[in-house]
Amino acid sequence: MELEKVIQVVLTTNKQAYEQIIKRYYSSIYYYVYQQVGDVEVSKELCQDIFFEAYRSLKRYNSKKASFQTWLYKIANYRCIDYLRSKAYQQRTFDGEDELKTLSESSDDALTRLIKEEKAQKINQLMRTCLKPKYERIMRYYFYADLSPQEIAILEKTSVKTIYTIIKRSLEKLKIALGGDCHE
């Protein structure tokens, strides 16, 4: 069934039809969230929150402003930023026992996963500390949601040229920051 029809069915008669939307977008939203938070359980919880919020806000979705996917990524982005700024994230500690268990089960896969998580956390930290909130948001759309500059421009209600400029400046700033501390 076409997405617009599914949305209308959910809004008017059959709330159960929302499962079709979840099935269609869950894996891409989960991947986006996981790339930002680096934790499987937290990513699952955030995805539940994201899809619940999308369901509650479905009446406000306007297909003339953005595609459903773009709208959903915007909700996901705000949820991730809220989490990354939360005390829960700030106080999260390395649980060595669980990681050792994972390593013993499959050391190559676990090591690869740990390296990816460490890199993602470092990039997230750099984006939070080195970029203005708007730039950070745009970079999250660009890297994690894999949205095009045109789609981001629609979300941000700005020109595509401005988005390209922000991406370029942000990349330059992050490149400098990788060499040392970030200075505003």
Side-chain angles (χ1 to χ4, degrees), residues 1-61:
M1 191 182 304
E2 185 183 316
L3 181 63
E4 294 297 323
K5 289 180 183 175
V6 173
I7 291 171
Q8 284 307 312
V9 168
V10 171
L11 289 173
T12 58
T13 59
N14 185 358
K15 310 263 186 253
Q16 300 301 320
Y18 191 65
E19 281 184 41
Q20 291 179 26
I21 293 172
I22 293 172
K23 286 179 183 175
R24 183 171 179 178
Y25 293 102
Y26 187 86
S27 60
S28 62
I29 294 296
Y30 173 83
Y31 178 76
Y32 173 72
V33 171
Y34 181 77
Q35 289 296 313
Q36 293 188 65
V37 301
D39 183 282
V40 172
E41 293 305 315
V42 172
S43 298
K44 288 177 183 177
E45 289 176 24
L46 288 173
C47 281
Q48 286 179 343
D49 292 346
I50 290 161
F51 282 101
F52 180 71
E53 178 63 30
Y55 177 78
R56 287 182 355 149
S57 304
L58 202 54
K59 292 176 199 159
R60 294 191 303 260
Y61 166 66

Side-chain angles (χ1 to χ4, degrees), residues 138-184:
I138 288 168
M139 294 306 287
R140 289 183 187 286
Y141 288 142
Y142 186 69
F143 281 124
Y144 297 130
D146 204 25
L147 296 179
S148 70
Q150 291 79 8
E151 291 170 312
I152 298 169
I154 292 168
L155 279 173
E156 293 294 318
K157 297 177 181 145
T158 190
S159 72
V160 175
K161 186 175 180 182
T162 300
I163 297 301
Y164 276 113
T165 301
I166 289 172
I167 291 170
K168 182 179 181 224
R169 287 180 183 166
S170 297
L171 287 172
E172 289 170 354
K173 193 158 196 160
L174 290 170
K175 184 177 178 182
I176 291 168
L178 284 169
D181 287 339
C182 182
H183 301 287
E184 281 290 329

